[in-house]
């Protein structure tokens, strides 16, 4: 925990803005506070997840008589609602929706685009395992005609992200974000309903002792991946490794960020292009990893340099500490 009086995420965002862009309009902090509001609402719903089924009747109605919704649909609605009313978000895109959503009121003069995975790892909810929300914030040119194809605003290279982060709904709820000036983590204090700075300027250790991969797919990994994993197991990088795989990207990455090591989702037989989605999973994770001193690639190039071609495009994702990533990239280059 940081020393001194508690600093909330709102205070931190404002202070960072004053220091780095003293003439900024405040629009951006207003947008981020939409994300923290959504995070608190989703955290509350995730905490009650087990109860929703108990309280809902066979037909799926809760005590208020509303249909019980799947949590990922609910999380999506919460984010669309919280962000769509900020006044500066013109376009949103979500894992849950086939097409980008244009905010009618702000389609001309809104300057931001937010892309998100509302509830990543949601198949883990039934077994009480951590899930998360991942977000990426981009800028857009204003469009006085209001006619521009929203896909043009969304399909931007990861390097152009203005901010990115995730919320992990774990044993506590945490939000971790970057605006390109380091990575900061905040823990939700449920007694006051505020996110408090708990992890300032997070740096990924230069190496770790954990690798994270779905090893059930190992037979279909290309040879350099199998060799890399064999080297880790054999202690050839100079230390003994353990394997940990939660199956929720946010949780697996959160551990990798704090403790170092690697997370891998390489191409597999089932997912020859990789499983994870470029725009709202890999890009925000890669931005955080690079800001924390780590690396993220698709096996050929940095994730942040990939030019996106479609909204739900998939990519291999290899992310982690410098040392492990350097060795893996050497093997992949052959
Ligand atoms: P989802 O967006 O359908 O929830 O899938 C993404 C999740 C990630 O959280 C996780 O890293 C990965 O899928 C796990 O996949 P697998 O079960 O194939 O190992
Ligand atoms: Mg997902």
């Amino acid at each position: 925990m940081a020393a001194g009086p508690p600093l909330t995420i709102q205070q931190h965002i404002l202070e960072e803005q004053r220091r780095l862009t003293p003439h900024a309009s405040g629009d951006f902090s207003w947008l981020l506070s939409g994300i923290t509001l959504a995070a608190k609402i989703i955290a509350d719903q995730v905490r009650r997840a087990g109860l929703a089924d108990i309280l809902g009747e066979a037909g799926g109605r809760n005590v208020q008589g509303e249909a019980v919704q799947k949590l990922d649909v609910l999380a999506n609605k919460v984010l669309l609602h919280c962000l769509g009313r900020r006044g500066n978000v013109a376009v949103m895109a979500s894992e849950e929706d086939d097409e980008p959503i244009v905010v009618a009121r702000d389609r001309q003069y809104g300057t931001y685009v937010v892309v998100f995975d509302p509830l990543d790892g949601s198949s883990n909810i039934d077994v009480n395992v951590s899930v998360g929300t991942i977000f990426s914030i981009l800028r857009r040119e204003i469009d006085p005609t209001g006619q521009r194809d929203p896909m043009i605003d969304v399909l931007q290279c990861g390097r152009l992200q203005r901010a990115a982060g995730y919320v992990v709904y774990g044993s506590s709820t945490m939000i971790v974000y970057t605006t390109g000036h380091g990575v900061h983590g905040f823990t939700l204090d449920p007694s006051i309903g505020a996110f408090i700075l708990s992890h300032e300027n997070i740096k990924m250790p230069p190496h770790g002792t954990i690798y994270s991969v779905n090893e059930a797919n190992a037979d279909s990994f290309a040879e350099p991946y199998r060799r890399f994993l064999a080297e880790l197991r054999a202690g050839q990088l100079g230390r003994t490794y353990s394997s940990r795989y939660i199956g929720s990207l946010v949780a697996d990455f959160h551990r990798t960020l704090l403790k170092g090591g690697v997370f891998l989702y390489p191409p597999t037989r089932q997912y020859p292009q990789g499983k994870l989605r470029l725009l709202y999973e890999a890009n925000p994770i890669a931005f955080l990893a690079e800001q924390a001193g780590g690396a993220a690639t698709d096996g050929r190039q940095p994730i942040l340099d990939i030019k996106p071609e479609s909204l739900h495009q998939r990519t291999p994702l290899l992310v982690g500490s410098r040392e492990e990533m350097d060795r893996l990239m050497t093997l992949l280059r052959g």
Side-chain angles (χ1 to χ4, degrees):
M1 276 279 179
L7 191 68
T8 69
I9 189 164
Q10 254 71 39
Q11 289 168 319
H12 189 267
I13 291 167
L14 286 171
E15 280 182 17
E16 204 183 44
Q17 195 163 68
R18 259 185 230 126
R19 193 165 52 84
L20 300 164
T21 47
H23 303 297
S25 62
D27 275 9
F28 186 63
S29 355
W30 180 230
L31 192 174
L32 280 175
S33 74
I35 290 182
T36 59
L37 173 62
K40 285 188 245 180
I41 299 172
I42 298 168
D44 181 57
Q45 298 293 335
V46 168
R47 244 194 2 256
R48 296 160 192 250
L51 291 171
D53 281 344
I54 295 165
L55 299 177
E57 292 168 12
R61 303 238 148 227
N62 65 18
V63 277
Q64 284 96 34
E66 300 153 344
V68 175
Q69 299 195 3
K70 281 187 71 187
L71 218 46
D72 34 15
V73 176
L74 211 124
N76 194 42
K77 283 195 173 161
V78 169
L79 277 155
L80 293 174
H81 176 82
C82 291
L83 292 169
R85 289 166 179 241
R86 292 281 122 174
N88 51 8
V89 178
V91 180
M92 293 179 280
S94 159
E95 179 182 331
E96 291 289 325
D97 297 300
D98 292 344
E99 299 291 331
I101 291 151
V102 178
V103 181
R105 194 187 59 183
D106 301 308
R107 72 179 306 157
Q108 289 163 290
Y109 299 106
T111 44
Y112 288 103
V113 178
V114 188
V115 189
F116 49 84
D117 182 350
L119 208 59
D120 182 66
S122 53
S123 60
N124 274 326
I125 288 178
D126 292 349
V127 289
N128 228 332
V129 167
S130 300
V131 288
T133 296
I134 318 177
F135 61 90
S136 160
I137 301 176
L138 298 153
R139 268 196 92 91
R140 78 192 270 273
E141 294 296 319
I142 61 164
D143 174 23
T145 66
Q147 299 298 311
R148 191 165 62 226
D149 178 357
M151 209 58 109
I152 294 172
D153 291 334
V154 170
L155 297 182
Q156 298 187 44
C157 199
R159 282 276 164 230
L160 298 173
Q161 291 174 104
R162 273 297 309 279
Y166 59 80
V167 186
V168 57
Y169 310 101
S171 42
S172 57
T173 298
M174 266 194 82
I175 184 164
V176 176
Y177 86 102
T178 182
T179 58
H181 303 280
V183 177
H184 309 290
F186 302 79
T187 303
L188 182 62
D189 180 342
S191 63
I192 56 170
F195 283 100
I196 304 294
L197 181 64
S198 53
H199 298 65
E200 191 168 17
N201 205 11
I202 299 170
K203 290 289 170 212
M204 198 184 279
H207 64 75
T209 55
I210 295 173
Y211 70 83
S212 187
V213 63
N214 186 343
E215 272 186 311
N217 296 326
D219 285 352
S220 68
F221 293 165
E223 205 276 328
Y225 293 104
R226 283 185 276 131
R227 172 139 178 228
F228 176 65
L229 293 171
E231 286 187 6
L232 295 183
R233 282 193 295 269
Q236 283 172 251
L237 266 70
R239 64 198 76 92
T240 306
Y241 279 82
S242 286
S243 106
R244 298 274 186 280
Y245 190 71
I246 298 167
S248 278
L249 173 63
V250 169
D252 279 316
F253 176 71
H254 187 60
R255 184 197 53 247
T256 308
L257 177 68
L258 296 181
K259 297 199 177 242
V262 273
F263 169 88
L264 311 177
Y265 210 114
T268 64
R269 237 187 319 274
Q270 194 185 358
Y271 297 108
Q273 312 301 324
K275 179 183 181 191
L276 300 170
R277 266 56 61 103
L278 174 62
L279 287 173
Y280 41 81
E281 293 179 325
N283 267 344
I285 293 294
F287 191 15
L288 291 160
E290 286 198 5
Q291 281 292 313
T297 83
D298 67 353
R300 281 189 293 242
Q301 59 181 324
I303 292 285
L304 296 181
D305 291 338
I306 302 174
K307 175 83 190 83
E309 285 167 6
S310 65
L311 176 52
H312 300 286
Q313 177 175 340
R314 295 178 192 268
T315 176
L317 175 62
L318 324 171
V319 57
S321 294
R322 279 275 157 205
E323 223 173 276
E324 286 89 340
M325 288 298 294
D326 283 350
R327 179 60 190 151
L328 175 58
M329 290 312 291
T330 303
L331 290 171
L332 284 166
R333 278 191 291 267

